[in-house]
Amino acid sequence: MTGSITALGLALAAIGAGIGIGQIGGRAMDAIARQPEAVGDIRANMILTAALVEGAALIAMVLSFIL
Amino acid sequence: MRSFSLIIGLLLSFLTVTYGQDQHGDQHSNSASHAEEASAGQEGHGACGCLHDEEAFPEYNPTASAFQHIGDANAFHVAGDFYIPLPCILYAPDHGWTLMMANKFEAHHHGNGSKAIDRYVLVHGEVKRIADTAFPKGEVEIECISHVMESVKGKEVEMPVAVYGGTCYALENRSTLDGGVFGGGITSFYDFSITKNVFTMLLVLIFFFLVFRSVAKTYQARRGQAPKGLQGFMEPIVLFIQDEVAKPFIGARYDKYLPFLLSIFFFILGLNLIGQIPFFPGSGNVTGNLGVTMVLALFVFVVVNINGNKNYWKHIFWMPGVPAPIKLILTPVEVLGLFIKPFTLMLRLFANITAGHIVVLSFVGLIFIFGKSGASMGGSLGGAAASIPLTMFIMAIELLVAFIQAFVFTLLTASYIGAAIEEDHH
């Protein structure tokens, strides 16, 4: 087995971000099903929140490259 | 329509297979030259060998190949030995300016130049400088660009060298952001060249200048009438940014920031889309370049913080409405957040575009891995059969990502500006 422990950390961060973005997407679908007329607002906010969660995974990625 | 895509697919697989055979031919002469090199190495100790056909790669290296294709270059590779030369504008403090076209290096296959000009050489389409100051100046015919294996941090790394007069001349390390603190290094010259990425940016700039000037003229000529032609195509996109991004996130004063948001959106979208084209005017991986996204994020950082009002700064340095001990914790977090916001903006665009390109290049690399670098024809065919549908699927996703990332960058910029100019509600 070769590799670095930082890759493991990155993988954990990616799992966390994946769960988070999955929750955001799922809840947004629920909300759209409940209120189809609000689809525009929900979509914009969904992408915004998903982008913020993604930021955590990106920072983990950079740290794994640097360390 | 279906038959059309089938024909394209067949054509692609044919092209890749013929390229695989080409590699196959090279492989033979390569192994022959390896034997020659080995015997030469035994006779003259430390003498630097040259592989006879410039193919300095003993076998296909997927990582190096992928990173070379997403990197920037000083010449635009079209096909085989044909390069579109781009102007090289180089400045070295110990030598002065060097202005020339990249075809002066007389690049062969793989973008390795066969000439050194004022100690500059072309390696994989990229200008590098020979580190040894004793190397003769002016135009010098070099034997080849080769590689030596060197151990860096316990790993064997291929280092490019220029072979001249039977001696290997080491090339300067690529400049890195840290300036050589964490390894890497810093070059002794400044490269102001119109590289592939700069060329692509200028192309996109000119394209959008022409498009928007024509649209603006149509608006003047057809005042009060329904949109028509190109105008009808652009208007919904501009209105989308205005109504879905600027108005909800910035608020009443959105019109001041709308030009900035639109510029960022169209610039990123244009570069993302032109990066999807795998041949000549495209193929420049601009938004997948950390330097470009860094400058874009820097613009956002400056615009947000210049326009930040008293309320915004108060929320950063002394959050109102929370107990004093919590304020002491919150202030460093908020100050860090000030920099983390544009930092993630930079990384998000870079990582998404680069990841997409690397996945495509990995799938294309399957052809060479299954074909054992061209030794097995059946393997190449099998690899092509597997990689073509996968590549087409990933490129379809990349098309979606190109739009989403341009949109997300604009949306987050708008939300940061909105947070900076928000009035006090308390």
Side-chain angles (χ1 to χ4, degrees), chain A residues 27-53:
Chain A
R27 296 289 158 84
M29 290 302 123
D30 282 354
I32 291 169
R34 225 171 267 156
Q35 262 187 307
E37 68 275 10
V39 62
D41 288 349
I42 293 170
R43 193 195 297 121
N45 282 308
M46 176 187 83
I47 291 176
L48 182 74
T49 332
L52 292 177
V53 172

Side-chain angles (χ1 to χ4, degrees), chain B residues 97-320:
Chain B
W97 292 92
T98 307
L99 306 168
M100 63 189 163
M101 294 300 279
N103 58 351
K104 243 182 133 183
F105 287 113
E106 289 172 22
H108 292 304
H109 206 45
H110 283 287
N112 289 335
S114 56
K115 272 186 180 165
I117 294 156
D118 294 335
R119 276 166 59 206
Y120 296 112
V121 287
L122 199 66
V123 181
H124 292 317
E126 195 184 342
V127 171
K128 285 187 185 267
R129 202 159 192 237
I130 293 168
D132 193 354
T133 44
F135 193 83
K137 288 211 163 130
E139 222 175 289
V140 181
E141 188 94 19
I142 53 172
E143 280 167 45
C144 69
I145 302 286
S146 188
H147 290 84
V148 287
M149 299 307 278
E150 231 171 70
S151 65
V152 177
K153 284 189 196 166
K155 270 188 195 169
E156 285 284 298
V157 183
E158 275 185 356
M159 300 293 277
V161 289
V163 184
Y164 172 70
T167 325
C168 277
Y169 287 92
L171 303 179
E172 278 174 359
N173 280 328
R174 175 195 285 273
S175 285
T176 45
L177 270 180
D178 54 64
V181 178
F182 296 107
I186 200 144
T187 48
S188 69
F189 70 101
Y190 301 92
D191 192 346
F192 298 103
S193 309
I194 311 289
T195 58
K196 203 164 123 180
N197 283 357
V198 179
F199 174 82
T200 313
M201 273 194 271
L202 291 175
L203 199 72
V204 167
L205 224 71
I206 292 168
F207 174 75
F208 277 120
F209 173 72
L210 294 177
V211 165
F212 279 106
R213 206 183 55 155
S214 124
V215 169
K217 272 189 180 161
T218 327
Y219 269 109
Q220 277 181 336
R222 295 171 53 82
R223 205 176 284 271
Q225 293 173 46
K228 189 187 162 197
L230 193 58
Q231 183 195 13
F233 181 74
M234 301 306 287
E235 191 175 291
I237 306 176
V238 174
L239 282 181
F240 173 74
I241 297 295
Q242 182 191 297
D243 295 338
E244 303 290 324
V245 177
K247 270 184 192 170
F249 285 96
I250 298 181
R253 289 166 62 206
Y254 74 91
D255 53 339
K256 187 179 163 193
Y257 304 98
L258 193 57
F260 178 62
L261 294 178
L262 285 171
S263 310
I264 277 199
F265 178 75
F266 281 107
F267 188 61
I268 294 176
L269 182 64
L271 289 173
N272 281 351
L273 289 179
I274 207 169
Q276 310 285 317
I277 306 171
F279 42 80
F280 172 55
S283 89
N285 175 30
V286 186
T287 37
N289 184 317
L290 206 50
V292 174
T293 57
M294 185 191 288
V295 172
L296 285 172
L298 195 70
F299 275 125
V300 173
F301 179 74
V302 169
V303 166
V304 167
N305 289 304
I306 278 185
N307 289 295
N309 57 15
K310 207 177 113 220
N311 191 31
Y312 168 72
W313 292 112
K314 201 168 82 190
H315 274 81
I316 286 173
F317 289 114
W318 208 245
M319 184 78 81

Side-chain angles (χ1 to χ4, degrees), chain B residues 8-21 381 384 388:
Chain B
I8 299 249
L10 280 176
L11 205 69
L12 267 176
S13 58
F14 177 71
L15 278 176
T16 44
V17 169
T18 46
Y19 183 66
Q21 279 183 324
L381 271 176
I388 287 168

